[in-house]
Amino acid sequence: MVRLAVASATLLVVSKAYACTGPAVNQATVDLIAGFEGFSADVYDDPTGNPTIGYGHLCQLTGCSEIPYSIPLSEADGKSLLADDVISPQDCITTQTAASVTLNANQYGALVSWAYNVGCGNSGSSSLITRLNNGEDPQTVIAEELPLWNKSGGEVLPGLVRRRAAEVDLANTATSDPALPAGC
Ligand SMILES: *[C@@H]1O[C@H](CO)[C@@H](O)[C@H](O)[C@H]1NC(C)=O
């Protein structure tokens, strides 16, 4: 009995320190990301010249050979690929925000859409995350900071301006569904 208790206490500490899985985003967030990324069955170059497929999956290998789906991609496989790809930004937003940061499902979804777009390195070093972690009001921080992320390759892209506006709108949409803190 005692041994078991010790073992599970150890497990708890380990999972607290090293493994924190971000909650799954809500349907409004999946729809927002899919809508802005658009769907392509075949590999294409994104505005920055990165080979991309499906709903904005950045290819790691020539011809996107890392993905476990056949190309041309079906829309259903594209959705599965998006669900896989959104795990990383979910985890980033969850681990990069302090345990004191409270976000509802729409605020969290807006930030996951942004991190999916700009990458976890950029979200992690952003003043947006710093301000949240300093205890500033999420609504204010999101509305002020997200629209600044409107450039690709040094140029303002209308598509990014619209996407940031849609993310702010999502974050401003009231919901009683909680997302963060995730409790880890
Ligand atoms: C684009 O971002 C810059 C900051 O990088 C900001 O000053 C500007 O207002 C933004 N433009 C729009 C249309 O949001």
Side-chain angles (χ1 to χ4, degrees), residues 147-148 150-151 161:
L148 304 181
N150 60 21
K151 295 190 192 71
V161 174

Side-chain angles (χ1 to χ4, degrees), residues 5 17 19 23 32 49 57 89 93 103 120 132 137 146 167:
L32 189 158
H57 172 84
I93 293 301
L103 299 178
C120 289
L132 289 178
D137 171 54
L146 272 189
E167 289 163 353

